[in-house]
Amino acid sequence: MSPAKRFNIFTILFTGIPLFAVSFGICFANRDEPILFGFPFLLSYLIFWACMTPVCLWLADRSARR
Amino acid sequence: MNSIIAFAIVTAIILGSMGFGVLAVRKIKMTPQELVVGNRSFATILLCVLFAGETVTSFTFLGASGWAYSRGAPAFYILGYFPATLIVLFLLGPTIWRRGRESNFLTNADYFASMYQSRVLGLLVAICGVFFLVLYLTVQLTGIQILLEIAGYGSVQIGSTGTIAFVLIVIFVFFSGLRGVAWVSIVKDVLVLGAILFAGIVIPVHFFGSPVNLFAKLREAHPDWLTLRSNLLPNGTVWFVSTVLVNAVGLVCWPHGVAAIYSARDEASIRRNAMLLPFYLMILVLVFLAGFSALLLMPGLKGDDVDQSFMRVVQTHYPAWVLGGVAGAGCLAALVPGSALILAAGSLIAKNIVGIFSKSFVERHQTAVTRVSVIAVALFAFVSWATARSTLVSMLLVAASGAAQFFPGMLLAFFDRRPSASSIAAGLIGSLLFLCWTTAVKLPVIAGVNVGLVAMALNFAVVGLASAPSQRLVE
């Protein structure tokens, strides 16, 4: 199967969103407040997306298989 | 006395885990395919520890805490680029694996040579790859040196211990191949996890009560430490975004990353691996906490010493056996990727550099040639590390952004209508010359953008321009 066939709109969406979030997205998250559990917001934001990446990839995998 | 205890523990950890690696593969017959890509048989778990072993190196261990210590928030880019590189792996890895399996590739240069039907392009990629790998290997050697120096409490002659550690690496790679490296990665991951839990939780709790208090103290002492500087300044937001993007392609570009992709059993293992690894990478948060703690406990380190920051805290405030355990875990975090690097470089030399001149000879004796190349690469790296360390450090920037310049060639091979081999070569050479120039004039950012990304844009542009006329002729 060629890669083009595997990729559909959901694959692009579910890989594109976390990729955007950890790169360009930080421009909107570059602040200290709100402070969560003492952590600066920028760090909490990156931790959140590092945890969301597997979820997004799992969804992308499921949608590609369908 | 302290140094003897710490050294004994470091030695026991290194010898024990290498023995484990060699034992794990003792019944397996060493073919070139087994040596370099583990016979393409690694399932999800072994693949995960291999990728984790290759990405969380001593440089992450010491460098990430060092960055948190000396720069603050810019260190968080590591937490941005790991998910990014796994997303790229998820998207491109399966296809790279499938092509590798269909045509029996062992190296990333094989991929280029076959996809663009040019062995000369393969040779160019191999030469650049070996050069980058040797530079990266010297980083790991420096990591081992720092850890041994600290474990020696300043009393031990480091040159000789560094040499011994290095000889061990070579012997290990020679016998065990990539499968042994993957098995040792398991031991390494457990120990590194222990060391990082200690550094990132025990130290902050011990000295500050909790990580919350650590951050509160840090805000008092360094109010601007936890956010990035704005826009175009060095280490500002633009730098952060561009650095995450240029590093995101790392796993599918570095020769040892490509070898790890080939070692997978099937495409699904690669995708599952990309889904699981981000959880493991959470431990990096603890490395930042260790670096921040060190900043408050032991301020004033400058220059290269910042990389030793949290190890110095351990050395000053904890008993020798703790230091030995942490330093031993750190040494494994250098030896595991070091082995993968040497193996990748050895296979590039055997298959794509020597092999191009004497194909029949290499085919008959490929395992032996790979092993000899492994020793040659290791010796070359060691001698250049011992004699010209400062030059290497400055060239390292070229290597870090340079490996990313393989990306256009890797990506464009996915399409049915590919650019010519010569245009890929032109893009690669052009962008590398550009990187050499920026390094020579000490220009790490252009308008806030990481030069690696600028070089990649240039790379794509050159490929586009060089292939445009030929396409028009076809039409």
Side-chain angles (χ1 to χ4, degrees):
Chain A
M1 212 189 331
S2 78
K5 276 180 199 155
R6 277 203 73 95
F7 293 161
N8 56 36
I9 182 77
F10 293 106
T11 329
I12 294 166
L13 207 62
F14 286 128
T15 51
I17 289 172
L19 195 58
F20 179 86
V22 295
S23 53
F24 294 98
I26 65 105
C27 296
F28 309 103
N30 183 26
R31 47 207 158 85
D32 195 14
E33 286 173 334
I35 296 168
L36 304 165
F37 305 107
F39 282 55
F41 183 72
L42 179 61
L43 189 55
S44 326
Y45 172 86
L46 284 167
I47 294 172
F48 172 77
W49 278 108
C51 292
M52 281 304 288
T53 301
V55 177
C56 289
L57 290 183
W58 181 73
L59 288 169
D61 191 38
R62 269 184 68 100
S63 57
R65 254 188 246 163
R66 213 168 276 159
Chain B
M1 187 60 204
N2 271 344
S3 62
I4 295 172
I5 296 174
F7 257 120
I9 292 174
V10 172
T11 315
I13 288 176
I14 293 175
L15 287 179
S17 48
M18 289 200 162
F20 172 72
V22 172
L23 275 181
V25 299
R26 72 188 184 286
K27 283 185 183 155
I28 289 165
K29 189 177 173 293
M30 280 299 159
T31 60
Q33 177 141 301
E34 171 59 40
L35 193 69
V36 179
V37 296
N39 224 7
R40 302 180 208 281
S41 64
F42 293 176
T44 311
I45 299 299
L46 208 53
L47 204 59
C48 260
V49 290
L50 181 64
F51 272 111
E54 287 186 354
T55 44
V56 180
T57 70
S58 67
F59 191 58
T60 325
F61 206 62
L62 301 170
S65 61
W67 270 53
Y69 181 98
S70 61
R71 307 179 199 204
F76 300 160
Y77 91 88
I78 298 169
L79 207 56
Y81 99 75
F82 274 141
T85 196
L86 290 168
I87 294 167
V88 174
L89 176 71
F90 177 90
L91 288 172
L92 307 187
T95 307
I96 295 173
W97 177 86
R98 192 167 350 110
R99 300 254 160 96
R101 175 145 186 147
E102 282 162 4
S103 316
N104 203 17
F105 299 155
L106 294 180
T107 64
N108 71 333
D110 285 348
Y111 179 93
F112 278 84
S114 165
M115 290 292 133
Y116 297 101
Q117 291 170 0
S118 161
R119 285 167 73 192
V120 180
L121 180 63
L123 180 68
L124 176 71
V125 169
I127 292 171
C128 296
V130 170
F131 175 65
F132 300 150
L133 288 169
V134 166
L135 284 173
Y136 198 23
L137 191 57
T138 59
V139 178
Q140 306 302 335
L141 284 169
T142 308
I144 296 178
Q145 185 210 9
I146 289 176
L147 291 161
L148 289 178
E149 253 170 34
I150 291 179
Y153 289 88
S155 67
V156 187
Q157 191 63 41
I158 294 308
S160 51
T161 47
T163 313
I164 294 168
F166 193 67
V167 171
L168 280 175
I169 269 198
V170 175
I171 295 173
F172 172 67
V173 172
F174 193 93
F175 287 110
S176 73
L178 192 69
R179 191 181 297 274
V181 174
W183 280 104
V184 172
S185 289
I186 299 176
V187 184
K188 174 230 147 193
D189 283 334
V190 172
L191 285 172
V192 165
L193 198 62
I196 289 180
L197 285 176
F198 169 78
I201 294 181
V202 176
I203 293 180
V205 169
H206 181 171
F207 289 99
F208 306 102
S210 72
V212 179
N213 285 347
L214 166 66
F215 279 117
K217 288 238 167 60
L218 197 63
R219 282 192 184 89
E220 274 170 33
H222 304 272
D224 55 348
W225 214 244
L226 297 171
T227 46
L228 294 166
R229 301 205 277 169
S230 63
N231 303 335
L232 300 179
L233 293 168
N235 292 335
T237 42
V238 172
W239 168 87
F240 190 106
V241 173
S242 55
T243 305
V244 166
L245 289 177
V246 78
N247 281 305
V249 300
L251 270 181
V252 298
C253 286
W254 275 97
H256 60 292
V258 175
I261 292 175
Y262 291 157
S263 74
R265 192 176 60 185
D266 48 27
E267 293 174 34
S269 306
I270 296 175
R271 278 194 289 268
R272 271 199 295 273
N273 166 62
M275 287 177 228
L276 286 173
L277 266 182
F279 292 118
Y280 174 80
L281 299 172
M282 283 296 101
I283 62 170
L284 286 169
V285 177
L286 299 177
V287 179
F288 298 144
L289 294 187
F292 289 142
S293 305
L295 175 62
L296 293 172
L297 292 170
M298 202 166 270
L301 296 179
K302 288 262 156 32
D304 291 343
D305 285 351
V306 297
D307 289 342
Q308 311 179 1
S309 54
F310 96 85
M311 288 304 294
R312 291 259 184 103
V313 172
V314 180
Q315 189 193 38
T316 317
H317 296 282
Y318 292 91
W321 63 270
V322 175
L323 180 67
V326 176
C331 281
L332 279 188
L335 292 173
V336 167
S339 311
L341 295 171
I342 292 181
L343 212 47
S347 58
L348 280 173
I349 293 181
K351 192 144 184 241
N352 305 99
I353 297 178
V354 180
I356 216 170
F357 297 110
S358 169
K359 203 160 179 244
S360 58
F361 173 76
V362 171
E363 269 169 11
R364 252 179 290 135
H365 308 282
Q366 204 176 353
T367 314
V369 175
T370 306
R371 283 178 163 167
V372 171
S373 312
V374 157
I375 295 178
V377 167
L379 267 180
F380 178 62
F382 188 71
V383 170
S384 46
W385 176 74
T387 51
R389 204 166 309 170
S390 56
T391 325
L392 288 175
V393 171
S394 60
M395 282 198 298
L396 190 69
L397 290 170
V398 182
S401 312
Q405 305 311 324
F406 292 140
F407 183 65
M410 296 297 284
L411 181 71
L412 293 171
F414 277 47
F415 299 100
D416 290 334
R417 207 170 127 189
R418 287 167 208 161
S420 65
S422 50
S423 57
I424 294 289
L428 183 60
I429 293 171
S431 56
L432 290 181
L433 286 177
F434 172 75
L435 283 172
C436 289
W437 173 73
T438 55
T439 309
V441 298
K442 295 196 167 51
L443 193 74
V445 290
I446 292 175
V449 181
N450 186 321
V451 285
L453 197 66
V454 180
M456 202 191 293
L458 182 76
N459 193 337
F460 272 113
V462 170
V463 173
L465 285 175
S467 53
S470 61
Q471 277 177 359
R472 236 176 276 135
L473 280 178
V474 174
E475 281 162 14

